[in-house]
Amino acid sequence: MHLDFGPDVAGGAMFPLLEMFADMENGMSVVEAGAQRLPQALAAVLAEHGGEVHTDAEVDRVLCSNGRAVGVRCADGSTLTARRAVIANVGPPALYQQLLESDQVPAQVRRKSRGYLYGPGTMMLHLALDGPLPWAAGSELAGFGYVHVAPYVDDLARTYTESQAGLLPVEPLLIVGQTSAVDPTRAPAGRHVVWIQIRTMPSVIRGDAAGTIRHTTWPEAVEPMTDRVLTKLEHYAPGTRSRIVGTTAYTPQDLESANPNLVGGDSVAGSHHLSQNFFLRPMSGHSGYRTAVPGLYLTGAATWPGADNNATSGRLTARQVLKDVRLRGWASRSARCRWTAGPRPTCMAPEDRRAPWNS
């Protein structure tokens, strides 16, 4: 359910298997003093190596010249050029339908990108508390970073089916993040912050599986849905409501507004079902981080291995870019070589004798 699998959807067991081994090997990390410190740290590393980070700079076009990506244009009209590669962290629909001119993309690729599927939505609830959650199962539970409240497999299957049908689920999965329990810097002494990821939710509301919420737009439905979530949490942690001093809710629409990759509130930037997973992610013929436009690459959750804060797709994309840059350099050098009957070319310039295949 962290991705977009109900417990009875083919391929869904792969994620918990990988998650279990990864957590046993590496643990589960929480960024001290707040998750925003992670992108700040990455930006600092980039700056140390001479790079720059531009925020509040929306890219509205990938610029191409002679069939190759050469830079980007921002919404304010400013441009940035690239000598080696343009790397996009977006989904295929945004890349091929919005960021590139139609004549720069083969018709078949544009058509295929329109079929990219997004999973069900997510709702986020943030609580400020004047004490730890009073779990009925015991106070030691308040010391864990994450507590999942389902409670049963059948509940998960029903929730997934209801959300996919456009219905507000009766018993949504609650992923309770008690980050201040493991990182006290996130709240004043004696206080706590808790976030709850509510899975899964309909992106567009067609009704309520319980038949009690009449609203079909998220701005109206968020308040009664928040009450439903807190009622469920109260069942497992009696007295929770009396400890709440502040509440902020983010609907699937809010999440997409904050991050256009989260289409419909899909927190994993695209379905991970077998039709667009593994070697088919994000879509057939596009699993190697290259795109249909030379010099333009795709990375992020829409590419293998998918959603998670693991940096794997970024590392693999970088390796592909460097490999292609080296190949282009080899091609430009070999064009200046004259071939002999021997097994290797004899090059015109001494520096060209250090060909890649010798190293």
Side-chain angles (χ1 to χ4, degrees), residues 100-121:
L100 287 163
E101 298 283 0
S102 58
D103 59 356
Q104 295 166 345
V105 183
Q108 182 181 5
V109 174
R110 285 178 60 84
R111 186 165 56 250
K112 188 181 295 186
S113 70
R114 284 195 289 268
Y116 187 75
L117 300 175
Y118 288 92

Side-chain angles (χ1 to χ4, degrees), residues 35-50:
Q36 79 279 355
R37 297 286 295 277
L38 179 59
Q40 289 171 357
L42 293 172
V45 171
L46 184 63
E48 288 177 3
H49 290 78

Side-chain angles (χ1 to χ4, degrees), residues 14-285:
M14 180 62 70
F15 176 78
L17 182 67
L18 294 174
E19 175 79 9
M20 178 178 68
F21 283 106
D23 293 345
M24 291 173 63
E25 181 70 21
N26 304 306
M28 296 184 70
S29 300
V30 171
V31 183
E32 187 176 358
Q36 79 279 355
R37 297 286 295 277
L38 179 59
Q40 289 171 357
L42 293 172
V45 171
L46 184 63
E48 288 177 3
H49 290 78
E52 297 179 6
V53 176
H54 295 241
T55 59
D56 294 323
E58 180 183 357
V59 171
D60 64 4
R61 183 69 67 204
V62 173
L63 303 176
C64 296
S65 178
N66 298 322
R68 184 176 186 83
V70 295
V72 296
R73 184 189 70 196
C74 295
D76 63 3
S78 62
T79 61
L80 292 170
T81 58
R83 290 188 295 118
R84 294 185 176 90
V86 175
I87 304 174
N89 187 342
V90 297
L95 183 67
Y96 290 125
Q97 306 293 326
Q98 302 171 27
L99 295 179
L100 287 163
E101 298 283 0
S102 58
D103 59 356
Q104 295 166 345
V105 183
Q108 182 181 5
V109 174
R110 285 178 60 84
R111 186 165 56 250
K112 188 181 295 186
S113 70
R114 284 195 289 268
Y116 187 75
L117 300 175
Y118 288 92
T122 299
M123 179 176 163
M124 291 295 301
L125 187 62
H126 293 262
L127 306 177
L129 307 172
D130 63 5
L133 287 175
W135 293 103
S139 59
E140 67 274 11
L141 204 59
F144 286 84
Y146 301 98
V147 178
H148 291 63
V149 180
Y152 301 111
V153 171
D154 285 348
D155 295 324
L156 296 175
R158 189 178 306 110
T159 291
Y160 184 82
T161 301
E162 290 169 351
S163 65
Q164 289 290 69
L167 303 177
L168 296 169
V170 179
E171 287 280 345
L173 164 66
L174 308 185
I175 305 164
V176 183
Q178 303 179 125
T179 48
S180 58
V182 293
D183 177 17
T185 66
R186 296 195 176 200
R191 303 295 183 92
H192 287 270
V193 291
V194 166
W195 55 254
I196 305 173
Q197 187 185 59
I198 303 146
R199 302 280 291 157
T200 53
M201 287 289 174
S203 299
V204 178
I205 303 172
R206 295 187 175 90
D208 176 28
T212 59
I213 299 177
R214 303 301 178 187
H215 306 296
T216 55
T217 64
W218 270 114
E220 295 177 311
V222 62
E223 186 174 346
M225 196 66 220
T226 296
D227 183 69
R228 179 174 296 177
V229 169
L230 293 178
T231 297
K232 180 171 183 174
L233 182 60
E234 183 85 16
H235 178 75
Y236 293 93
T240 291
R241 289 181 186 269
S242 64
R243 297 190 178 186
I244 297 176
V245 295
T247 303
T248 301
Y250 294 93
T251 70
Q253 289 181 351
D254 295 329
L255 295 179
E256 182 175 358
S257 296
N259 184 345
N261 278 337
L262 309 184
V263 176
D266 173 13
S267 62
V268 295
S271 172
H272 287 62
H273 286 191
L274 297 180
S275 61
Q276 53 185 49
N277 206 344
F278 303 104
F279 67 93
L280 295 175
R281 190 162 189 86
M283 54 192 193
S284 62

